Amino acid sequence: MHASCATSGCKGPSVITLGKQDYCREHFIQTCYERLEECSEKFKERNQADELVCDTHRRSLQEIVDQSTAVSLTHGYLSNLERIQLLDIVRWGGELIRQTRRGPRKQVSIPVRLYLESSSQTCAEETLVREVSQHGAAMTCSFPIIVGELVKMERMDTSEQIEGIVRWCGRREGTTVRLGLEFYGCNNFWHLHW
């Protein structure tokens, strides 16, 4: 059992293993929140250049989601608070998994036209994509945009179009903001060898 469980005299009803460490339910939930907070802070720094580190984060997050799901489905006598916490952990962990990089990045210079249509505004702008992956792209734009908005992108060299969602936005620098898009259902929009 985890040291904090043993030293606090915790008499949790079940043992849950996470990262080869055993926890009572209370300390399992607490540890999950601590690890999710740590991953969330790292993602805010956008320091995902090391693919091995990203893969390690993704596996750790997946274990948290899997174990929390298993606990919520198989452990009897969960309090309402514990059920809510486990559901929150699964939701938060899933969001963080979607933020981790899923493959290599390539530096490019591809002209695109970015379209944003929302209930409050319609914007279009030509910009350069500077970094791409099989699943998305990073670029700058000058119109107001927030995480979660849906956008369309058109390659100006091939006229191909794709839809994506804004997954992150950096600090605005003057009139531009750096942003990251994740594509919906794309095999190889950039036609590159990965």
Side-chain angles (χ1 to χ4, degrees), residues 15 17 37 83 86 130 142 149 156 162 166 169 183-184:
V15 174
T17 303
E37 186 65 40
R83 289 183 193 284
L86 290 166
R130 297 294 189 181
S142 62
E149 287 197 286
M156 298 183 68
I162 193 163
V166 178
C169 289
F183 297 151
Y184 287 121

Side-chain angles (χ1 to χ4, degrees), residues 58-71:
R58 191 179 302 110
R59 279 188 275 114
S60 175
L61 289 166
Q62 191 62 58
E63 183 185 15
I64 287 170
V65 168
D66 291 345
Q67 288 294 78
S68 298
T69 302
V71 170

Side-chain angles (χ1 to χ4, degrees), residues 9-180:
C10 186
K11 302 199 185 312
S14 306
V15 174
I16 306 155
T17 303
L18 183 67
K20 299 181 182 175
Q21 193 79 45
D22 291 334
Y23 298 89
C24 68
R25 223 164 31 215
E26 176 186 345
H27 287 107
F28 169 77
I29 289 171
Q30 177 184 337
T31 301
C32 286
Y33 274 120
E34 289 169 0
R35 292 189 184 176
L36 290 172
E37 186 65 40
E38 181 182 313
C39 281
S40 181
E41 286 303 313
K42 285 190 164 98
F43 292 164
K44 282 179 188 171
E45 297 166 8
R46 301 307 308 164
N47 185 15
Q48 297 193 50
D50 187 332
E51 297 300 328
L52 182 60
V53 170
C54 285
D55 189 54
T56 301
H57 282 315
R58 191 179 302 110
R59 279 188 275 114
S60 175
L61 289 166
Q62 191 62 58
E63 183 185 15
I64 287 170
V65 168
D66 291 345
Q67 288 294 78
S68 298
T69 302
V71 170
S72 66
L73 293 174
T74 61
H75 286 222
Y77 309 108
L78 289 170
S79 70
N80 286 338
L81 176 60
E82 287 173 326
R83 289 183 193 284
I84 290 167
Q85 289 173 322
L86 290 166
L87 181 62
D88 184 48
I89 289 167
V90 170
R91 179 200 53 78
W92 190 7
E95 287 175 4
L96 290 173
I97 287 169
R98 286 190 291 277
Q99 291 179 36
T100 58
R101 287 192 167 174
R102 296 182 293 161
R105 297 295 193 253
K106 294 196 178 196
Q107 300 299 313
V108 297
S109 182
I110 300 174
V112 297
R113 187 173 287 115
L114 201 60
Y115 301 93
L116 171 65
E117 296 179 11
S118 68
S119 58
S120 60
Q121 65 179 341
T122 300
C123 304
E125 166 180 327
E126 292 180 7
T127 187
L128 283 176
V129 169
R130 297 294 189 181
E131 185 180 275
V132 299
S133 74
Q134 288 177 284
H135 308 282
M139 71 208 73
T140 59
C141 80
S142 62
F143 51 76
I145 197 162
I146 60 172
V147 172
E149 287 197 286
L150 299 176
V151 295
K152 288 183 183 176
M153 179 190 294
E154 178 184 2
R155 286 185 63 161
M156 298 183 68
D157 55 346
T158 65
S159 297
E160 293 174 273
Q161 294 187 358
I162 193 163
E163 289 188 335
I165 186 168
V166 178
R167 286 297 181 197
W168 59 269
C169 289
R171 282 196 301 267
R172 188 164 284 280
E173 296 173 4
T175 60
T176 64
V177 63
R178 186 166 164 80
L179 61 98

